[in-house]
Short mmCIF file of all heavy atoms in Angstrom, two decimals:
data_model
loop_
_atom_site.label_atom_id
_atom_site.label_comp_id
_atom_site.label_asym_id
_atom_site.label_seq_id
_atom_site.Cartn_x
_atom_site.Cartn_y
_atom_site.Cartn_z
N MET R 169 105.65 127.21 123.11
CA MET R 169 104.69 126.18 122.72
C MET R 169 105.10 125.60 121.37
O MET R 169 105.39 126.28 120.43
CB MET R 169 103.29 126.78 122.62
CG MET R 169 102.77 127.17 123.97
SD MET R 169 101.08 126.70 124.16
CE MET R 169 100.31 127.87 123.04
N ARG R 170 105.11 124.33 121.33
CA ARG R 170 105.52 123.65 120.11
C ARG R 170 104.38 122.76 119.66
O ARG R 170 104.06 121.78 120.30
CB ARG R 170 106.74 122.79 120.44
CG ARG R 170 107.75 122.83 119.34
CD ARG R 170 108.97 122.11 119.85
NE ARG R 170 110.05 123.05 120.12
CZ ARG R 170 111.33 122.73 119.94
NH1 ARG R 170 111.65 121.52 119.56
NH2 ARG R 170 112.26 123.59 120.15
N SER R 171 103.81 123.09 118.53
CA SER R 171 102.71 122.24 118.08
C SER R 171 103.20 121.23 117.06
O SER R 171 104.12 121.49 116.29
CB SER R 171 101.59 123.10 117.49
OG SER R 171 102.03 123.72 116.31
N MET R 172 102.58 120.09 117.10
CA MET R 172 102.95 119.01 116.21
C MET R 172 101.71 118.51 115.48
O MET R 172 100.59 118.81 115.87
CB MET R 172 103.56 117.84 116.99
CG MET R 172 104.71 118.25 117.88
SD MET R 172 105.34 116.84 118.82
CE MET R 172 106.13 115.92 117.53
N THR R 173 101.94 117.74 114.45
CA THR R 173 100.83 117.13 113.74
C THR R 173 101.00 115.62 113.79
O THR R 173 102.05 115.09 113.42
CB THR R 173 100.78 117.59 112.27
OG1 THR R 173 100.68 119.00 112.24
CG2 THR R 173 99.59 116.98 111.55
N CYS R 174 99.98 114.96 114.24
CA CYS R 174 100.04 113.51 114.35
C CYS R 174 100.10 112.88 112.96
O CYS R 174 99.27 113.17 112.11
CB CYS R 174 98.81 113.01 115.10
SG CYS R 174 98.73 111.22 115.18
N PRO R 175 101.11 112.06 112.70
CA PRO R 175 101.25 111.43 111.37
C PRO R 175 100.09 110.49 111.06
O PRO R 175 99.83 110.20 109.90
CB PRO R 175 102.55 110.62 111.50
CG PRO R 175 103.24 111.13 112.71
CD PRO R 175 102.18 111.67 113.62
N THR R 176 99.42 110.00 112.06
CA THR R 176 98.36 109.03 111.84
C THR R 176 97.01 109.70 111.59
O THR R 176 96.36 109.43 110.59
CB THR R 176 98.23 108.08 113.04
OG1 THR R 176 99.45 107.38 113.20
CG2 THR R 176 97.10 107.08 112.82
N CYS R 177 96.62 110.60 112.47
CA CYS R 177 95.27 111.17 112.35
C CYS R 177 95.31 112.64 111.96
O CYS R 177 94.28 113.28 111.84
CB CYS R 177 94.50 110.98 113.65
SG CYS R 177 95.09 111.98 115.01
N GLN R 178 96.50 113.19 111.76
CA GLN R 178 96.68 114.57 111.30
C GLN R 178 96.18 115.59 112.31
O GLN R 178 95.97 116.74 111.97
CB GLN R 178 95.98 114.81 109.95
CG GLN R 178 96.28 113.75 108.92
CD GLN R 178 97.76 113.64 108.59
OE1 GLN R 178 98.44 114.62 108.43
NE2 GLN R 178 98.25 112.43 108.53
N ALA R 179 95.97 115.19 113.52
CA ALA R 179 95.50 116.12 114.53
C ALA R 179 96.66 116.99 115.01
O ALA R 179 97.78 116.51 115.15
CB ALA R 179 94.90 115.35 115.70
N ALA R 180 96.36 118.25 115.22
CA ALA R 180 97.38 119.15 115.75
C ALA R 180 97.31 119.14 117.27
O ALA R 180 96.23 119.16 117.85
CB ALA R 180 97.14 120.56 115.22
N PHE R 181 98.47 119.08 117.88
CA PHE R 181 98.50 119.05 119.34
C PHE R 181 99.80 119.62 119.83
O PHE R 181 100.76 119.78 119.06
CB PHE R 181 98.31 117.62 119.85
CG PHE R 181 99.37 116.67 119.34
CD1 PHE R 181 100.48 116.38 120.12
CD2 PHE R 181 99.25 116.08 118.10
CE1 PHE R 181 101.47 115.51 119.64
CE2 PHE R 181 100.24 115.20 117.62
CZ PHE R 181 101.34 114.92 118.40
N GLU R 182 99.88 119.92 121.09
CA GLU R 182 101.11 120.46 121.65
C GLU R 182 102.04 119.33 122.04
O GLU R 182 101.61 118.25 122.43
CB GLU R 182 100.79 121.31 122.87
CG GLU R 182 99.89 122.49 122.57
CD GLU R 182 100.50 123.42 121.54
OE1 GLU R 182 101.74 123.61 121.57
OE2 GLU R 182 99.76 123.95 120.70
N ARG R 183 103.30 119.62 121.94
CA ARG R 183 104.33 118.62 122.22
C ARG R 183 104.16 118.01 123.62
O ARG R 183 104.35 116.82 123.84
CB ARG R 183 105.69 119.30 122.11
CG ARG R 183 106.86 118.45 122.48
CD ARG R 183 107.09 117.34 121.45
NE ARG R 183 108.34 116.65 121.73
CZ ARG R 183 108.48 115.71 122.65
NH1 ARG R 183 107.45 115.35 123.36
NH2 ARG R 183 109.65 115.13 122.83
N ASN R 184 103.79 118.85 124.56
CA ASN R 184 103.68 118.36 125.93
C ASN R 184 102.32 117.75 126.24
O ASN R 184 102.02 117.41 127.36
CB ASN R 184 103.99 119.48 126.92
CG ASN R 184 103.05 120.65 126.76
OD1 ASN R 184 102.08 120.56 126.00
ND2 ASN R 184 103.32 121.73 127.44
N GLU R 185 101.51 117.61 125.20
CA GLU R 185 100.19 117.00 125.41
C GLU R 185 100.22 115.50 125.22
O GLU R 185 99.27 114.80 125.51
CB GLU R 185 99.17 117.59 124.44
CG GLU R 185 98.68 118.96 124.84
CD GLU R 185 97.66 119.47 123.84
OE1 GLU R 185 97.00 118.65 123.18
OE2 GLU R 185 97.55 120.69 123.72
N THR R 186 101.31 115.02 124.64
CA THR R 186 101.35 113.60 124.33
C THR R 186 102.47 112.89 125.07
O THR R 186 103.50 113.48 125.37
CB THR R 186 101.53 113.39 122.81
OG1 THR R 186 101.52 111.99 122.55
CG2 THR R 186 102.82 113.97 122.31
N GLN R 187 102.23 111.64 125.35
CA GLN R 187 103.29 110.82 125.92
C GLN R 187 103.88 109.93 124.85
O GLN R 187 104.74 109.10 125.11
CB GLN R 187 102.72 109.95 127.05
CG GLN R 187 102.26 110.78 128.23
CD GLN R 187 101.62 109.89 129.30
OE1 GLN R 187 101.96 108.71 129.41
NE2 GLN R 187 100.73 110.45 130.07
N PHE R 188 103.38 110.07 123.63
CA PHE R 188 103.81 109.19 122.55
C PHE R 188 104.19 109.97 121.30
O PHE R 188 103.63 109.76 120.24
CB PHE R 188 102.69 108.20 122.21
CG PHE R 188 102.21 107.43 123.40
CD1 PHE R 188 101.11 107.88 124.11
CD2 PHE R 188 102.86 106.29 123.82
CE1 PHE R 188 100.65 107.19 125.21
CE2 PHE R 188 102.40 105.59 124.92
CZ PHE R 188 101.30 106.04 125.62
N PRO R 189 105.12 110.91 121.44
CA PRO R 189 105.54 111.68 120.27
C PRO R 189 106.16 110.77 119.22
O PRO R 189 106.81 109.78 119.58
CB PRO R 189 106.58 112.66 120.85
CG PRO R 189 107.08 112.01 122.09
CD PRO R 189 105.92 111.21 122.63
N PRO R 190 105.99 111.04 117.93
CA PRO R 190 105.31 112.23 117.41
C PRO R 190 103.81 112.02 117.24
O PRO R 190 103.17 112.75 116.51
CB PRO R 190 105.98 112.41 116.04
CG PRO R 190 106.26 111.01 115.60
CD PRO R 190 106.54 110.23 116.87
N PHE R 191 103.27 111.01 117.88
CA PHE R 191 101.84 110.73 117.75
C PHE R 191 101.07 111.41 118.87
O PHE R 191 101.63 111.68 119.93
CB PHE R 191 101.59 109.22 117.78
CG PHE R 191 102.40 108.50 116.74
CD1 PHE R 191 103.61 107.91 117.09
CD2 PHE R 191 101.99 108.44 115.43
CE1 PHE R 191 104.38 107.26 116.14
CE2 PHE R 191 102.75 107.79 114.47
CZ PHE R 191 103.95 107.21 114.83
N CYS R 192 99.79 111.63 118.63
CA CYS R 192 99.00 112.36 119.60
C CYS R 192 98.58 111.45 120.75
O CYS R 192 98.24 111.91 121.83
CB CYS R 192 97.77 112.99 118.94
SG CYS R 192 96.53 111.80 118.40
N CYS R 193 98.60 110.17 120.51
CA CYS R 193 98.17 109.24 121.55
C CYS R 193 98.73 107.85 121.24
O CYS R 193 99.24 107.59 120.15
CB CYS R 193 96.65 109.18 121.63
SG CYS R 193 95.89 108.61 120.10
N GLU R 194 98.60 106.97 122.19
CA GLU R 194 99.14 105.63 122.02
C GLU R 194 98.45 104.90 120.88
O GLU R 194 99.05 104.14 120.13
CB GLU R 194 98.96 104.84 123.31
CG GLU R 194 99.61 103.46 123.21
CD GLU R 194 99.48 102.69 124.51
OE1 GLU R 194 98.59 103.03 125.31
OE2 GLU R 194 100.28 101.76 124.72
N ARG R 195 97.17 105.15 120.76
CA ARG R 195 96.39 104.49 119.71
C ARG R 195 96.96 104.79 118.33
O ARG R 195 97.15 103.89 117.51
CB ARG R 195 94.94 104.98 119.81
CG ARG R 195 94.02 104.35 118.82
CD ARG R 195 92.60 104.91 119.06
NE ARG R 195 91.85 104.92 117.83
CZ ARG R 195 91.19 103.86 117.37
NH1 ARG R 195 91.22 102.75 118.05
NH2 ARG R 195 90.54 103.92 116.25
N CYS R 196 97.26 106.07 118.09
CA CYS R 196 97.81 106.45 116.79
C CYS R 196 99.18 105.83 116.58
O CYS R 196 99.55 105.44 115.48
CB CYS R 196 97.87 107.97 116.68
SG CYS R 196 96.26 108.70 116.37
N LYS R 197 99.92 105.72 117.64
CA LYS R 197 101.24 105.11 117.53
C LYS R 197 101.11 103.64 117.13
O LYS R 197 101.83 103.15 116.27
CB LYS R 197 101.95 105.21 118.89
CG LYS R 197 103.35 104.63 118.86
CD LYS R 197 103.97 104.74 120.23
CE LYS R 197 104.51 103.39 120.65
NZ LYS R 197 105.21 103.42 121.92
N LEU R 198 100.17 102.95 117.74
CA LEU R 198 99.99 101.53 117.43
C LEU R 198 99.46 101.35 116.01
O LEU R 198 99.84 100.42 115.31
CB LEU R 198 99.00 100.91 118.44
CG LEU R 198 99.56 100.83 119.86
CD1 LEU R 198 98.50 100.26 120.80
CD2 LEU R 198 100.82 100.00 119.92
N ILE R 199 98.59 102.25 115.59
CA ILE R 199 98.06 102.17 114.23
C ILE R 199 99.20 102.33 113.23
O ILE R 199 99.31 101.56 112.28
CB ILE R 199 97.00 103.26 114.00
CG1 ILE R 199 95.75 102.92 114.79
CG2 ILE R 199 96.68 103.39 112.51
CD1 ILE R 199 94.70 104.00 114.75
N ASP R 200 100.06 103.30 113.48
CA ASP R 200 101.17 103.54 112.57
C ASP R 200 102.12 102.35 112.56
O ASP R 200 102.57 101.90 111.51
CB ASP R 200 101.92 104.79 113.01
CG ASP R 200 103.00 105.16 111.99
OD1 ASP R 200 102.64 105.73 110.95
OD2 ASP R 200 104.17 104.85 112.24
N LEU R 201 102.37 101.82 113.72
CA LEU R 201 103.25 100.65 113.82
C LEU R 201 102.63 99.47 113.07
O LEU R 201 103.32 98.75 112.35
CB LEU R 201 103.45 100.29 115.29
CG LEU R 201 104.39 99.09 115.54
CD1 LEU R 201 105.80 99.43 115.12
CD2 LEU R 201 104.36 98.70 117.00
N GLY R 202 101.34 99.31 113.22
CA GLY R 202 100.66 98.23 112.53
C GLY R 202 100.76 98.38 111.03
O GLY R 202 101.01 97.42 110.31
N ASN R 203 100.60 99.58 110.52
CA ASN R 203 100.72 99.82 109.09
C ASN R 203 102.12 99.50 108.60
O ASN R 203 102.31 98.92 107.54
CB ASN R 203 100.41 101.30 108.78
CG ASN R 203 98.94 101.60 108.97
OD1 ASN R 203 98.10 100.69 108.97
ND2 ASN R 203 98.61 102.86 109.13
N TRP R 204 103.07 99.90 109.40
CA TRP R 204 104.47 99.68 109.01
C TRP R 204 104.76 98.19 108.94
O TRP R 204 105.35 97.69 107.99
CB TRP R 204 105.36 100.37 110.03
CG TRP R 204 106.79 100.37 109.62
CD1 TRP R 204 107.41 101.28 108.81
CD2 TRP R 204 107.80 99.41 109.98
NE1 TRP R 204 108.74 100.93 108.66
CE2 TRP R 204 109.00 99.80 109.35
CE3 TRP R 204 107.79 98.26 110.76
CZ2 TRP R 204 110.18 99.06 109.51
CZ3 TRP R 204 108.97 97.53 110.91
CH2 TRP R 204 110.15 97.94 110.29
N LEU R 205 104.34 97.46 109.94
CA LEU R 205 104.59 96.02 109.97
C LEU R 205 103.86 95.34 108.83
O LEU R 205 104.37 94.42 108.20
CB LEU R 205 104.12 95.45 111.30
CG LEU R 205 104.96 95.85 112.51
CD1 LEU R 205 104.36 95.27 113.78
CD2 LEU R 205 106.39 95.38 112.35
N ASP R 206 102.66 95.79 108.55
CA ASP R 206 101.87 95.21 107.48
C ASP R 206 102.61 95.31 106.16
O ASP R 206 102.68 94.36 105.39
CB ASP R 206 100.53 95.94 107.40
CG ASP R 206 99.57 95.17 106.51
OD1 ASP R 206 99.55 93.94 106.59
OD2 ASP R 206 98.84 95.81 105.75
N GLY R 207 103.21 96.47 105.92
CA GLY R 207 103.94 96.66 104.68
C GLY R 207 105.26 95.92 104.68
O GLY R 207 105.71 95.42 103.65
N ALA R 208 105.87 95.81 105.83
CA ALA R 208 107.20 95.20 105.92
C ALA R 208 107.14 93.69 105.73
O ALA R 208 108.04 93.09 105.17
CB ALA R 208 107.82 95.52 107.26
N TYR R 209 106.06 93.11 106.17
CA TYR R 209 105.98 91.66 106.12
C TYR R 209 105.31 91.13 104.86
O TYR R 209 105.30 89.94 104.61
CB TYR R 209 105.22 91.13 107.34
CG TYR R 209 106.07 91.15 108.58
CD1 TYR R 209 105.71 91.91 109.68
CD2 TYR R 209 107.24 90.40 108.64
CE1 TYR R 209 106.49 91.93 110.81
CE2 TYR R 209 108.02 90.42 109.77
CZ TYR R 209 107.65 91.19 110.85
OH TYR R 209 108.42 91.21 111.98
N ARG R 210 104.75 92.05 104.07
CA ARG R 210 104.09 91.60 102.86
C ARG R 210 105.11 91.46 101.74
O ARG R 210 105.77 92.41 101.38
CB ARG R 210 103.00 92.60 102.45
CG ARG R 210 102.05 91.98 101.47
CD ARG R 210 101.26 93.08 100.80
NE ARG R 210 100.88 94.08 101.79
CZ ARG R 210 99.64 94.19 102.26
NH1 ARG R 210 98.71 93.40 101.85
NH2 ARG R 210 99.36 95.13 103.12
N LEU R 211 105.29 90.31 101.22
CA LEU R 211 106.24 90.11 100.13
C LEU R 211 105.58 90.44 98.80
O LEU R 211 104.51 89.94 98.51
CB LEU R 211 106.70 88.65 100.11
CG LEU R 211 107.45 88.21 101.37
CD1 LEU R 211 107.78 86.73 101.29
CD2 LEU R 211 108.73 89.02 101.55
N PRO R 212 106.22 91.29 98.04
CA PRO R 212 105.66 91.72 96.75
C PRO R 212 105.81 90.64 95.69
O PRO R 212 106.79 89.93 95.63
CB PRO R 212 106.50 92.95 96.40
CG PRO R 212 107.80 92.73 97.09
CD PRO R 212 107.50 91.91 98.32
N GLY R 213 104.81 90.55 94.86
CA GLY R 213 104.87 89.65 93.71
C GLY R 213 105.02 88.19 94.06
O GLY R 213 105.87 87.51 93.53
N GLU R 214 104.22 87.74 94.98
CA GLU R 214 104.27 86.32 95.27
C GLU R 214 102.86 85.75 95.32
O GLU R 214 102.27 85.59 96.37
CB GLU R 214 104.97 86.10 96.60
CG GLU R 214 105.55 84.69 96.68
CD GLU R 214 106.46 84.54 97.89
OE1 GLU R 214 107.41 85.31 98.02
OE2 GLU R 214 106.20 83.66 98.69
N PRO R 215 102.32 85.46 94.16
CA PRO R 215 100.95 84.97 94.08
C PRO R 215 100.83 83.56 94.62
O PRO R 215 101.68 82.71 94.34
CB PRO R 215 100.63 85.01 92.57
CG PRO R 215 101.95 84.88 91.91
CD PRO R 215 102.95 85.54 92.85
N ALA R 216 99.79 83.34 95.38
CA ALA R 216 99.59 82.00 95.94
C ALA R 216 98.79 81.17 94.95
O ALA R 216 97.62 80.91 95.13
CB ALA R 216 98.89 82.11 97.28
N GLU R 217 99.45 80.76 93.90
CA GLU R 217 98.75 80.00 92.86
C GLU R 217 98.99 78.51 93.01
O GLU R 217 100.11 78.07 93.23
CB GLU R 217 99.22 80.45 91.48
CG GLU R 217 98.31 81.52 90.90
CD GLU R 217 98.77 81.88 89.50
OE1 GLU R 217 99.10 80.97 88.72
OE2 GLU R 217 98.82 83.08 89.21
N VAL R 218 97.94 77.77 92.87
CA VAL R 218 98.06 76.32 92.94
C VAL R 218 97.86 75.77 91.53
O VAL R 218 96.90 76.11 90.86
CB VAL R 218 96.98 75.73 93.87
CG1 VAL R 218 97.12 74.22 93.95
CG2 VAL R 218 97.09 76.36 95.26
N PRO R 219 98.78 74.96 91.08
CA PRO R 219 98.65 74.36 89.75
C PRO R 219 97.40 73.50 89.65
O PRO R 219 97.08 72.75 90.57
CB PRO R 219 99.92 73.50 89.62
CG PRO R 219 100.48 73.37 91.00
CD PRO R 219 100.01 74.58 91.75
N GLU R 220 96.71 73.62 88.53
CA GLU R 220 95.41 72.95 88.41
C GLU R 220 95.52 71.50 87.95
O GLU R 220 94.55 70.78 87.90
CB GLU R 220 94.53 73.74 87.43
CG GLU R 220 93.83 74.90 88.13
CD GLU R 220 92.90 75.59 87.17
OE1 GLU R 220 92.16 74.89 86.47
OE2 GLU R 220 92.94 76.83 87.11
N ASN R 221 96.72 71.10 87.58
CA ASN R 221 96.88 69.74 87.09
C ASN R 221 97.27 68.75 88.19
O ASN R 221 97.97 67.80 87.96
CB ASN R 221 97.90 69.70 85.94
CG ASN R 221 99.25 70.25 86.40
OD1 ASN R 221 99.35 70.75 87.52
ND2 ASN R 221 100.26 70.15 85.57
N ALA R 222 96.81 69.05 89.38
CA ALA R 222 97.06 68.12 90.46
C ALA R 222 96.13 66.92 90.27
O ALA R 222 94.93 67.02 90.38
CB ALA R 222 96.81 68.80 91.80
N ASP R 223 96.72 65.80 89.99
CA ASP R 223 95.89 64.66 89.66
C ASP R 223 95.47 63.87 90.91
O ASP R 223 96.24 63.14 91.51
CB ASP R 223 96.65 63.71 88.70
CG ASP R 223 97.95 63.22 89.33
OD1 ASP R 223 98.46 63.94 90.21
OD2 ASP R 223 98.41 62.14 88.96
N SER R 224 94.26 64.09 91.26
CA SER R 224 93.70 63.31 92.36
C SER R 224 92.19 63.26 92.17
O SER R 224 91.42 63.39 93.08
CB SER R 224 94.07 63.96 93.71
OG SER R 224 93.58 65.26 93.75
N ASP R 225 91.81 63.09 90.91
CA ASP R 225 90.40 63.18 90.58
C ASP R 225 89.81 61.81 90.22
O ASP R 225 88.71 61.70 89.74
CB ASP R 225 90.22 64.16 89.42
CG ASP R 225 88.90 64.90 89.56
OD1 ASP R 225 88.59 65.31 90.69
OD2 ASP R 225 88.20 65.05 88.56
N GLY R 226 90.56 60.78 90.44
CA GLY R 226 90.04 59.44 90.24
C GLY R 226 89.66 59.09 88.82
O GLY R 226 88.80 58.27 88.57
N GLU R 227 90.27 59.78 87.85
CA GLU R 227 89.94 59.46 86.46
C GLU R 227 91.02 58.54 85.88
O GLU R 227 91.76 58.92 84.99
CB GLU R 227 89.82 60.75 85.65
CG GLU R 227 88.77 60.60 84.55
CD GLU R 227 88.57 61.90 83.84
OE1 GLU R 227 88.02 62.84 84.44
OE2 GLU R 227 89.01 62.00 82.68
N SER R 228 91.09 57.39 86.40
CA SER R 228 92.16 56.47 86.02
C SER R 228 91.85 55.79 84.67
O SER R 228 90.81 55.15 84.53
CB SER R 228 92.38 55.42 87.10
OG SER R 228 91.16 54.75 87.35
N SER R 229 92.74 55.95 83.74
CA SER R 229 92.55 55.29 82.46
C SER R 229 93.25 53.93 82.47
O SER R 229 94.40 53.81 82.12
CB SER R 229 93.08 56.17 81.33
OG SER R 229 94.42 56.47 81.61
N ASP R 230 92.53 52.97 82.86
CA ASP R 230 93.16 51.67 83.00
C ASP R 230 92.56 50.62 82.05
O ASP R 230 91.47 50.23 82.20
CB ASP R 230 93.02 51.20 84.45
CG ASP R 230 94.06 50.12 84.75
OD1 ASP R 230 95.26 50.43 84.68
OD2 ASP R 230 93.64 48.98 85.04
ZN1 ZN S 389 96.67 110.92 116.25
#
């Protein structure tokens, strides 16, 4: 008997109890995959800042 621990939910289970090793179930596998993708696609240090001096306020000095 080989017991494993699910990386997602930390549940202990037997190797032959799962069809989605090393996860205990498909749900945990998808959750882990989702976390991984979330981190992989997030670019660090890229603030979505818009410059405030965009002139479209109709204050024409004419
Ligand atoms: Zn799990």
Side-chain angles (χ1 to χ4, degrees):
M169 291 223 289
R170 220 173 251 213
S171 66
M172 306 178 72
T173 302
C174 176
T176 299
C177 70
Q178 312 300 316
F181 59 96
E182 299 301 322
R183 175 70 171 81
N184 59 7
E185 282 180 26
T186 182
Q187 294 177 27
F188 306 94
F191 306 97
C192 69
C193 61
E194 184 178 21
R195 182 179 151 84
C196 284
K197 182 181 129 176
L198 292 178
I199 289 174
D200 186 78
L201 182 66
N203 289 340
W204 188 86
L205 290 177
D206 193 40
Y209 284 119
R210 197 196 318 255
L211 298 176
E214 204 170 303
E217 266 183 43
V218 180
E220 276 184 46
N221 58 354
D223 59 335
S224 58
D225 214 43
E227 213 175 290
S228 55
S229 56
D230 200 62

